[in-house]
Every structure is written in structure tokens, then in C-alpha cells.
Amino acid sequence: GLRKEEQFFKNHPVYSTDRNIVSKCGTKILAKSLNNILMHHIRDVLPDVKQRISSMMSDVQLELDALGTPGEQSRNSLGGTLLGLLSKFANNFASIIDGKGGELSNSEGDAKNLALVELFGGARINYIFNDIFAASLMTVGPFDGLTDDEVRTTITNAMGTRRALFVPEIAFDILVRRQIARLESPGIECVDLVYEELQRIAAQSEPKELVRFPFLKERMVDVVSNLLKRCMSPTQMMVQNLVKVELAYINTSHPDFIGGARAVAAVTNRQANMEARRTAELPASGTTAETPVSQANSNYFNADTEEEGEPTPYNENSGGIMSFIFRGKSTPLAERSNPNGGPPAVVHLPSVPANMKQTDVPPSDRELSEMQVIKSLIESYFKVVRKTFIDMVPKTIMFFLVNHVKDALQNELVSELYRESEVTSLMKEAEDVAQRRQNCEEMKDLLGKALEIVNEVRDFNTFSQVE
């Protein structure tokens, strides 16, 4: 057939006239051309194919190493293997916290270096301290959940039976303690977040050899979990004690605290500036404008003379309690003077209300000043405590929880798991380990043959180019 094909092209009236055309026709020429195209393609993709095969062989070899070698082992050999796994787990745990962790497995089971993809280990704990805990506390205001009416009522209650000459200190003490106590909840939540992160780190620290011993893996998880739980209680208690320490003594001599004198001076200067601005805004006629607060107080304490009823005979100039009770108000019908010219009727006091609130009366100028002073003191001291709390909570968690678990983990694992009576049961292989080991060995052999073929093609390609 090939000879007839060759004679056909040589005797053809069209193809035989041009030697270039005849030299490119025929099955032999086509096979040679296709072979050259195939070899060039193989040469182009050969490095990538070889790299993929080598990577797969490396993964299979790692899995084989994790599965170990088959066969019965002595109790001493099993004990040495157990100690090595416990030590490796503890070292991995400490390395991940210190930022020295190597390649870890992601959620999909693919091995990759997480340091190039996302935060993990100690960096995640640092993120909790600074970007979650500290940032959240900085958004907590000194007056969150505290209204001006509550401040005003607290100041009045602190005065007792008589009007205080100065702002009562007990009002500041009560209110600032209430605001400081609100810091305890986010501190406890920060402990919980770090606890969950340590559990995550423990799962990432498991050596690959643990897949071979499921009973050991289960017991190891229980030991780590119990250790973390034991450290949680003193850590939470210490964070609570940080708040209790702040509540035990309100240090008004703190260098960062504004103090009473500076707070009063600041409020006085603010009021003076406001008064100066109001004076500058008054009309040129020189009429005095009454502030809304003073006008409200005036309207409250001085009733209009056009109201129904006669004005009280006890004016403001006459002293005594009667002038205070009936200041500017009309005389009740039962208290009016006797129409026959006799003495006035008996005065009856109104009943005492069950609940007394100051919100029914607008605050006076003095009350407004006292509220501003107290709020200035609360804001200054709350910022001092918040700054200290943001600094101390991470230190407390690191000492009582993170560092303690990291330092005591290996001793805890050895004392709980390395027991002569339990070594054999803990080091018992899973039922599917033998089948997985056989599959890995077969895959390793196939990949080895594939790599040999790739090397032969490479050598043949190089030899062809030399010829």
C-alpha cells in the first residue's frame, strides 16, 4: 500500500510536476510530522507533568509516614511512639501560639501554609485583644445607660435632709461605680473568645500520625479540653476581680483624673463663655433676656395673678413656712379668709405623693451646674479605669490561660495518657489503616512508574535533539 501510494504521487500529473509538493505527501511524511508535533508538545508540558507527579509522590509518602509500618510492636516501642506523639503535639501547640507554625491543613483538608493566606494561632489571639476587645471598649461611653434625670436625682438624694453647700461627693461615687461595673461583661466575653481560639489551635496542632490511632486522638482531645476548662475559671475570676478592685477604691488622687477643683473651674469657664455669647447676642436696646431655665423656674414658683382664686396673703417678703408653701399661688377655697372678718380657716397640707420625682420640675441653674460637674468627674475617671482595664485584661488572660496551658500541656498529657496499662489500647490502630496503607503503597508504585516514563521521554527528546 505504501509503495502504491508513493507511485501514485510520482505519476500524478499535478503532484509530479513539483518536487516540494511530492516530498510533503504520503503516509510516512504525515507520521513523521505528527511525531515531531507530539514530541514538541511533550517537551513543553514535560516539566509541569514531572512537577505534579513529584508533588503527588511527596503527599503519598507523607501519608505513608503518618500511617506507619505494619507489624506487631513491643510495649516499649509503643511507649516510645506515644511519648513522641505527645511531645510533638505540645511543641506544635506552643509553636502555633508563638507564630512559628509551619504548614497546616485548612478546612477542606488541603495542606498549605496558612501564614500566607490568613491569620492563625497567636496572631488571632492578638486580633481578639486589639481589634475586638480594645476597639469595642473604646466605643463604650461614660454615660451609656445614664440619663441626666438619673444624675440629677442621685445628686439630690446624696444631699440628705438639707441642701449641700458644694457638690456631694457621694453622688459621684455612686454613679461612677455603676458605670465601671459595666466593664465586667466584655472582659468575660474576651476570655470566652480566647478559650475558643485555644481549642481551634489544639485542633490544628494534632500530628498527622494521630489518624492512625483514633483512641489516642480522642483521649488527647479530652485532656486538652479539661485543661482549658480548669484554667477558664481562675481567668474569669481574675477578670472579675479587676473590676472589683476598681470598685473597692475610687482613687481621686490619680494623676490622670481631672479632680474636683479643675472640674468646677472648667464648668465655670464654660458658663462664663456661654453668658458672654448670650450678652453679645442681646439687642442694642439693652433689654435683659431671660434664659429658658430661669423663665421656667419663675413660671413655676410664681403663679400668674390672673389665675382663678385670690392671691395668698403670705407674700414672698414675709418669712415663715407659709410664704414658702403658698408662694405666688392662689389660696384654696378651704383656706380663704373668713368672709365675716374672722381669722382664716385652718390650713391643710397636701398629701405626700407615693413616688417623688424631680423630673416634674425644670432644673435650676445651680442644679445644671452640679450635673455638669458630676458628669465631668465621671467622664474623666471612667476613661482612666477603661484605659487600665483594656491593658490588664489581655495580660490576665495571657498569664492565667494562654501561657499556663502552653507550659503545662506536655506534663498534663504525659501524666494522663502515659500509663503502662493503657499504652496498648491507646496505640491500637484503626480498622481502615491497613487498607489505606495498601492504597498508598499502590499509588506510590504507579507514580514511580509514571515518573520513569516521563524521564525516558525527556531523555529520548534530548537524544533526538542531539542527533
Side-chain angles (χ1 to χ4, degrees):
L2 295 177
R3 288 195 299 269
K4 291 181 180 181
E5 182 185 45
E6 184 179 357
Q7 292 297 328
F8 172 77
F9 286 113
K10 288 182 178 181
N11 299 327
H12 196 276
V14 177
Y15 295 106
S16 61
T17 58
D18 191 347
R19 292 183 177 180
N20 293 330
I21 297 178
V22 174
S23 61
K24 295 180 181 178
C25 296
T27 303
K28 292 182 179 180
I29 303 301
L30 177 61
K32 186 177 180 180
S33 300
L34 293 177
N35 188 47
N36 290 332
I37 294 174
L38 179 60
M39 294 303 296
H40 281 86
H41 177 71
I42 292 175
R43 184 182 59 186
D44 294 337
V45 300
L46 193 61
D48 184 48
V49 172
K50 184 177 180 181
Q51 182 179 1
R52 291 174 59 184
I53 294 176
S54 299
S55 177
M56 294 176 64
M57 285 192 65
S58 177
D59 295 339
V60 172
Q61 185 61 45
L62 289 176
E63 188 173 358
L64 273 176
D65 295 339
L67 296 175
T69 58
E72 296 292 335
Q73 296 182 358
S74 63
R75 178 170 296 183
N76 293 334
S77 178
L78 291 176
T81 304
L82 175 60
L83 284 177
L85 290 176
L86 299 181
S87 178
K88 188 173 183 180
F89 178 84
N91 292 334
N92 289 344
F93 187 85
S95 298
I96 293 175
I97 291 179
D98 296 336
K100 302 175 184 178
E103 291 188 353
L104 303 174
S105 297
N106 59 9
S107 58
E108 299 177 355
D110 299 329
K112 59 171 66 176
N113 196 339
L114 291 185
L116 304 177
V117 181
E118 62 182 27
L119 297 179
F120 75 98
R124 292 178 63 92
I125 297 178
N126 180 66
Y127 183 88
I128 292 174
F129 288 155
N130 295 281
D131 295 76
I132 296 180
F133 174 69
S136 299
L137 278 192
M138 291 304 297
T139 61
V140 178
F143 306 112
D144 292 347
L146 184 64
T147 63
D148 290 346
D149 293 335
E150 292 175 341
V151 175
R152 179 185 175 192
T153 303
T154 305
I155 294 175
T156 304
N157 290 333
M159 293 179 183
T161 57
R162 64 189 182 90
R163 191 77 175 179
L165 298 178
F166 305 99
V167 180
E169 184 178 351
I170 188 64
F172 161 74
D173 192 86
I174 294 173
L175 294 175
V176 79
R177 288 176 186 273
R178 171 184 169 181
Q179 299 305 102
I180 292 174
R182 297 172 59 246
L183 299 176
E184 179 178 338
S185 178
I188 298 298
E189 292 180 5
C190 184
V191 177
D192 295 336
L193 292 177
V194 176
Y195 170 79
E196 295 175 359
E197 197 57 41
L198 289 177
Q199 288 182 321
R200 178 189 179 97
I201 293 175
Q204 294 174 339
S205 304
E206 296 176 358
K208 295 181 179 180
E209 294 82 359
L210 280 182
V211 298
R212 182 183 173 187
F213 310 107
F215 299 104
L216 175 61
K217 179 179 179 181
E218 183 179 355
R219 288 291 308 277
M220 190 178 294
V221 172
D222 293 339
V223 171
V224 175
S225 179
N226 292 334
L227 178 60
L228 289 174
K229 290 179 180 178
R230 289 203 309 269
C231 295
M232 271 285 289
S233 179
T235 306
Q236 291 178 339
M237 185 180 298
M238 189 60 195
V239 172
Q240 293 173 348
N241 288 338
L242 291 177
V243 179
K244 293 179 181 179
V245 166
E246 294 291 346
L247 296 177
Y249 179 65
I250 305 300
N251 184 17
T252 54
S253 300
H254 195 281
D256 296 334
F257 181 56
I258 187 174
R262 285 188 292 176
V264 172
V267 172
T268 303
N269 294 335
R270 192 182 306 116
Q271 291 179 346
N273 295 333
M274 294 176 60
E275 186 67 26
R277 285 196 296 269
R278 285 200 300 265
T279 304
E281 295 174 358
L282 291 178
S285 58
T287 58
T288 303
E290 191 173 18
T291 61
V293 175
S294 60
Q295 185 177 3
N297 293 335
S298 176
N299 293 337
Y300 179 80
F301 290 106
N302 298 319
D304 192 359
T305 56
E306 295 180 0
E307 292 181 356
E308 185 178 358
E310 298 178 0
T312 176
Y314 305 99
N315 54 29
E316 297 181 359
N317 295 328
S318 60
I321 187 155
M322 304 305 295
S323 63
F324 176 78
I325 296 176
F326 300 104
R327 183 187 306 170
K329 294 185 179 180
S330 58
T331 306
L333 295 178
E335 301 168 357
R336 294 180 180 178
S337 301
N338 194 335
N340 298 328
V346 179
V347 177
H348 297 283
L349 297 179
S351 60
V352 179
N355 298 322
M356 298 182 183
K357 297 182 179 180
Q358 282 192 317
T359 55
D360 300 333
V361 182
S364 63
D365 292 340
R366 174 174 176 172
E367 287 178 328
L368 290 175
S369 300
E370 291 174 347
M371 290 168 57
Q372 292 177 1
V373 171
I374 290 294
K375 292 178 69 175
S376 178
L377 295 174
I378 294 174
E379 180 180 10
S380 176
Y381 196 80
F382 181 81
K383 290 181 178 180
V384 172
V385 175
R386 183 178 61 184
K387 180 180 178 181
T388 304
F389 196 70
I390 290 176
D391 179 65
M392 290 302 300
V393 168
K395 294 179 179 179
T396 302
I397 295 175
M398 287 299 299
F399 179 78
F400 286 91
L401 183 59
V402 179
N403 290 343
H404 181 74
V405 172
K406 184 176 66 172
D407 297 336
L409 181 58
Q410 184 167 355
N411 292 335
E412 187 75 14
L413 290 173
V414 172
S415 61
E416 293 293 333
L417 300 180
Y418 188 69
R419 298 174 181 176
E420 187 176 356
S421 59
E422 299 181 1
V423 170
T424 305
S425 60
L426 291 177
M427 301 302 291
K428 184 179 179 180
E429 290 186 348
E431 297 178 356
D432 61 335
V433 170
Q435 183 64 36
R436 292 175 58 187
R437 186 185 295 114
Q438 182 179 355
N439 294 337
C440 290
E441 290 176 351
E442 293 177 357
M443 178 62 68
K444 181 181 178 182
D445 294 338
L446 292 176
L447 292 174
K449 293 179 180 179
L451 188 59
E452 291 178 1
I453 294 174
V454 170
N455 291 332
E456 290 178 359
V457 174
R458 180 196 60 187
D459 297 338
F460 177 77
N461 188 25
T462 305
F463 179 74
S464 299
Q465 289 180 355
V466 171
E467 288 184 348

mmCIF file of all heavy atoms in Angstrom, residues 5 37 42 49 57 81 115 132 136 154 167 178 183 207 216 218 232 341 388 392 402 463-464:
data_model
loop_
_atom_site.group_PDB
_atom_site.id
_atom_site.type_symbol
_atom_site.label_atom_id
_atom_site.label_comp_id
_atom_site.label_asym_id
_atom_site.label_seq_id
_atom_site.Cartn_x
_atom_site.Cartn_y
_atom_site.Cartn_z
ATOM 1 N N GLU A 5 1.043 4.049 -2.934
ATOM 2 C CA GLU A 5 0.818 5.466 -2.622
ATOM 3 C C GLU A 5 1.966 6.327 -3.160
ATOM 4 O O GLU A 5 1.758 7.399 -3.730
ATOM 5 C CB GLU A 5 0.665 5.663 -1.112
ATOM 6 C CG GLU A 5 0.371 7.101 -0.700
ATOM 7 C CD GLU A 5 0.356 7.269 0.806
ATOM 8 O OE1 GLU A 5 1.278 6.725 1.479
ATOM 9 O OE2 GLU A 5 -0.550 7.950 1.314
ATOM 10 N N ILE A 37 5.388 16.983 16.030
ATOM 11 C CA ILE A 37 4.457 17.848 16.778
ATOM 12 C C ILE A 37 4.222 17.296 18.182
ATOM 13 O O ILE A 37 4.218 18.040 19.186
ATOM 14 C CB ILE A 37 3.134 17.977 16.015
ATOM 15 C CG1 ILE A 37 3.357 18.717 14.697
ATOM 16 C CG2 ILE A 37 2.099 18.715 16.860
ATOM 17 C CD1 ILE A 37 2.124 18.765 13.804
ATOM 18 N N ILE A 42 5.121 17.374 24.090
ATOM 19 C CA ILE A 42 5.580 16.698 25.297
ATOM 20 C C ILE A 42 6.725 17.459 25.937
ATOM 21 O O ILE A 42 6.805 17.595 27.170
ATOM 22 C CB ILE A 42 6.001 15.254 24.961
ATOM 23 C CG1 ILE A 42 4.775 14.427 24.557
ATOM 24 C CG2 ILE A 42 6.711 14.603 26.137
ATOM 25 C CD1 ILE A 42 5.110 13.022 24.100
ATOM 26 N N VAL A 49 4.310 18.319 34.125
ATOM 27 C CA VAL A 49 3.871 16.957 34.449
ATOM 28 C C VAL A 49 4.786 16.325 35.492
ATOM 29 O O VAL A 49 4.325 15.697 36.465
ATOM 30 C CB VAL A 49 3.820 16.108 33.171
ATOM 31 C CG1 VAL A 49 3.551 14.637 33.514
ATOM 32 C CG2 VAL A 49 2.767 16.627 32.212
ATOM 33 N N MET A 57 3.715 12.315 44.686
ATOM 34 C CA MET A 57 4.528 11.303 45.373
ATOM 35 C C MET A 57 4.919 11.775 46.775
ATOM 36 O O MET A 57 4.946 10.983 47.725
ATOM 37 C CB MET A 57 5.783 10.991 44.559
ATOM 38 C CG MET A 57 5.547 10.133 43.338
ATOM 39 S SD MET A 57 7.092 9.520 42.615
ATOM 40 C CE MET A 57 7.696 8.467 43.927
ATOM 41 N N THR A 81 6.767 5.531 70.961
ATOM 42 C CA THR A 81 5.959 6.218 69.942
ATOM 43 C C THR A 81 4.932 7.140 70.584
ATOM 44 O O THR A 81 4.695 8.265 70.114
ATOM 45 C CB THR A 81 5.247 5.184 69.055
ATOM 46 O OG1 THR A 81 6.212 4.297 68.488
ATOM 47 C CG2 THR A 81 4.482 5.875 67.942
ATOM 48 N N ALA A 115 0.088 30.900 56.926
ATOM 49 C CA ALA A 115 0.690 32.204 57.183
ATOM 50 C C ALA A 115 0.629 33.101 55.955
ATOM 51 O O ALA A 115 0.732 34.327 56.083
ATOM 52 C CB ALA A 115 2.141 32.036 57.632
ATOM 53 N N ILE A 132 -10.835 43.540 68.559
ATOM 54 C CA ILE A 132 -12.187 43.213 69.024
ATOM 55 C C ILE A 132 -12.429 43.784 70.422
ATOM 56 O O ILE A 132 -13.329 44.604 70.619
ATOM 57 C CB ILE A 132 -12.402 41.690 69.007
ATOM 58 C CG1 ILE A 132 -12.322 41.165 67.570
ATOM 59 C CG2 ILE A 132 -13.756 41.336 69.619
ATOM 60 C CD1 ILE A 132 -12.534 39.669 67.460
ATOM 61 N N SER A 136 -13.844 47.568 70.934
ATOM 62 C CA SER A 136 -15.218 47.597 71.431
ATOM 63 C C SER A 136 -15.324 48.430 72.711
ATOM 64 O O SER A 136 -16.294 49.189 72.889
ATOM 65 C CB SER A 136 -15.715 46.175 71.684
ATOM 66 O OG SER A 136 -15.703 45.419 70.489
ATOM 67 N N THR A 154 -29.794 61.474 91.696
ATOM 68 C CA THR A 154 -28.740 60.956 92.568
ATOM 69 C C THR A 154 -28.090 62.075 93.369
ATOM 70 O O THR A 154 -27.799 61.918 94.567
ATOM 71 C CB THR A 154 -27.679 60.218 91.740
ATOM 72 O OG1 THR A 154 -28.298 59.199 90.956
ATOM 73 C CG2 THR A 154 -26.623 59.592 92.635
ATOM 74 N N VAL A 167 -21.015 70.384 95.735
ATOM 75 C CA VAL A 167 -21.496 69.183 95.054
ATOM 76 C C VAL A 167 -21.175 67.966 95.916
ATOM 77 O O VAL A 167 -20.022 67.758 96.305
ATOM 78 C CB VAL A 167 -20.828 69.042 93.671
ATOM 79 C CG1 VAL A 167 -21.333 67.782 92.959
ATOM 80 C CG2 VAL A 167 -21.103 70.267 92.832
ATOM 81 N N ARG A 178 -21.353 52.560 89.187
ATOM 82 C CA ARG A 178 -22.323 51.915 88.298
ATOM 83 C C ARG A 178 -21.765 51.793 86.885
ATOM 84 O O ARG A 178 -21.945 50.758 86.226
ATOM 85 C CB ARG A 178 -23.613 52.729 88.295
ATOM 86 C CG ARG A 178 -24.621 52.290 87.256
ATOM 87 C CD ARG A 178 -25.820 53.192 87.243
ATOM 88 N NE ARG A 178 -26.670 52.934 86.081
ATOM 89 C CZ ARG A 178 -27.782 53.598 85.806
ATOM 90 N NH1 ARG A 178 -28.201 54.551 86.619
ATOM 91 N NH2 ARG A 178 -28.482 53.316 84.727
ATOM 92 N N LEU A 183 -18.045 47.251 82.730
ATOM 93 C CA LEU A 183 -16.879 46.742 82.007
ATOM 94 C C LEU A 183 -16.653 45.251 82.229
ATOM 95 O O LEU A 183 -15.886 44.629 81.491
ATOM 96 C CB LEU A 183 -15.621 47.511 82.440
ATOM 97 C CG LEU A 183 -15.608 49.017 82.176
ATOM 98 C CD1 LEU A 183 -14.340 49.631 82.741
ATOM 99 C CD2 LEU A 183 -15.723 49.310 80.689
ATOM 100 N N PRO A 207 -0.655 16.045 65.365
ATOM 101 C CA PRO A 207 0.249 15.457 64.361
ATOM 102 C C PRO A 207 -0.531 14.572 63.379
ATOM 103 O O PRO A 207 -1.590 14.024 63.713
ATOM 104 C CB PRO A 207 1.218 14.626 65.208
ATOM 105 C CG PRO A 207 1.080 15.148 66.599
ATOM 106 C CD PRO A 207 -0.324 15.631 66.734
ATOM 107 N N LEU A 216 -6.211 7.234 70.831
ATOM 108 C CA LEU A 216 -5.271 8.203 71.390
ATOM 109 C C LEU A 216 -5.708 9.630 71.061
ATOM 110 O O LEU A 216 -5.626 10.525 71.908
ATOM 111 C CB LEU A 216 -3.867 7.935 70.848
ATOM 112 C CG LEU A 216 -2.780 8.940 71.245
ATOM 113 C CD1 LEU A 216 -2.614 8.980 72.759
ATOM 114 C CD2 LEU A 216 -1.459 8.604 70.564
ATOM 115 N N GLU A 218 -8.740 10.734 70.548
ATOM 116 C CA GLU A 218 -9.912 11.080 71.358
ATOM 117 C C GLU A 218 -9.515 11.415 72.787
ATOM 118 O O GLU A 218 -9.991 12.407 73.360
ATOM 119 C CB GLU A 218 -10.901 9.914 71.331
ATOM 120 C CG GLU A 218 -12.185 10.187 72.091
ATOM 121 C CD GLU A 218 -13.146 9.021 72.014
ATOM 122 O OE1 GLU A 218 -12.827 8.040 71.289
ATOM 123 O OE2 GLU A 218 -14.195 9.066 72.683
ATOM 124 N N MET A 232 -10.022 28.120 82.754
ATOM 125 C CA MET A 232 -11.023 29.147 82.475
ATOM 126 C C MET A 232 -11.548 29.802 83.745
ATOM 127 O O MET A 232 -11.710 31.020 83.819
ATOM 128 C CB MET A 232 -12.191 28.529 81.697
ATOM 129 C CG MET A 232 -12.013 28.550 80.198
ATOM 130 S SD MET A 232 -12.282 30.195 79.532
ATOM 131 C CE MET A 232 -14.042 30.344 79.758
ATOM 132 N N GLY A 341 -64.854 88.423 108.462
ATOM 133 C CA GLY A 341 -63.752 89.189 109.037
ATOM 134 C C GLY A 341 -63.028 88.470 110.129
ATOM 135 O O GLY A 341 -62.146 89.038 110.758
ATOM 136 N N THR A 388 -7.028 51.411 81.976
ATOM 137 C CA THR A 388 -6.379 50.374 82.785
ATOM 138 C C THR A 388 -6.960 48.999 82.483
ATOM 139 O O THR A 388 -6.226 48.004 82.383
ATOM 140 C CB THR A 388 -6.543 50.697 84.274
ATOM 141 O OG1 THR A 388 -6.021 52.008 84.542
ATOM 142 C CG2 THR A 388 -5.809 49.681 85.136
ATOM 143 N N MET A 392 -5.079 45.587 81.266
ATOM 144 C CA MET A 392 -4.903 44.491 82.217
ATOM 145 C C MET A 392 -5.595 43.204 81.790
ATOM 146 O O MET A 392 -5.113 42.114 82.117
ATOM 147 C CB MET A 392 -5.426 44.914 83.598
ATOM 148 C CG MET A 392 -4.579 45.964 84.282
ATOM 149 S SD MET A 392 -2.863 45.422 84.499
ATOM 150 C CE MET A 392 -3.083 43.971 85.514
ATOM 151 N N VAL A 402 -3.476 31.399 78.561
ATOM 152 C CA VAL A 402 -2.674 31.021 77.401
ATOM 153 C C VAL A 402 -1.327 30.445 77.817
ATOM 154 O O VAL A 402 -0.968 29.306 77.468
ATOM 155 C CB VAL A 402 -2.493 32.227 76.462
ATOM 156 C CG1 VAL A 402 -1.640 31.839 75.259
ATOM 157 C CG2 VAL A 402 -3.852 32.748 75.991
ATOM 158 N N PHE A 463 18.033 13.198 23.316
ATOM 159 C CA PHE A 463 18.851 12.444 22.350
ATOM 160 C C PHE A 463 18.458 12.794 20.914
ATOM 161 O O PHE A 463 19.305 12.921 20.046
ATOM 162 C CB PHE A 463 18.686 10.947 22.612
ATOM 163 C CG PHE A 463 19.465 10.070 21.674
ATOM 164 C CD1 PHE A 463 20.855 9.960 21.814
ATOM 165 C CD2 PHE A 463 18.857 9.403 20.637
ATOM 166 C CE1 PHE A 463 21.583 9.154 20.950
ATOM 167 C CE2 PHE A 463 19.581 8.602 19.760
ATOM 168 C CZ PHE A 463 20.951 8.481 19.913
ATOM 169 N N SER A 464 17.167 12.963 20.656
ATOM 170 C CA SER A 464 16.709 13.307 19.303
ATOM 171 C C SER A 464 17.212 14.673 18.876
ATOM 172 O O SER A 464 17.619 14.902 17.740
ATOM 173 C CB SER A 464 15.184 13.263 19.234
ATOM 174 O OG SER A 464 14.726 11.948 19.548
#
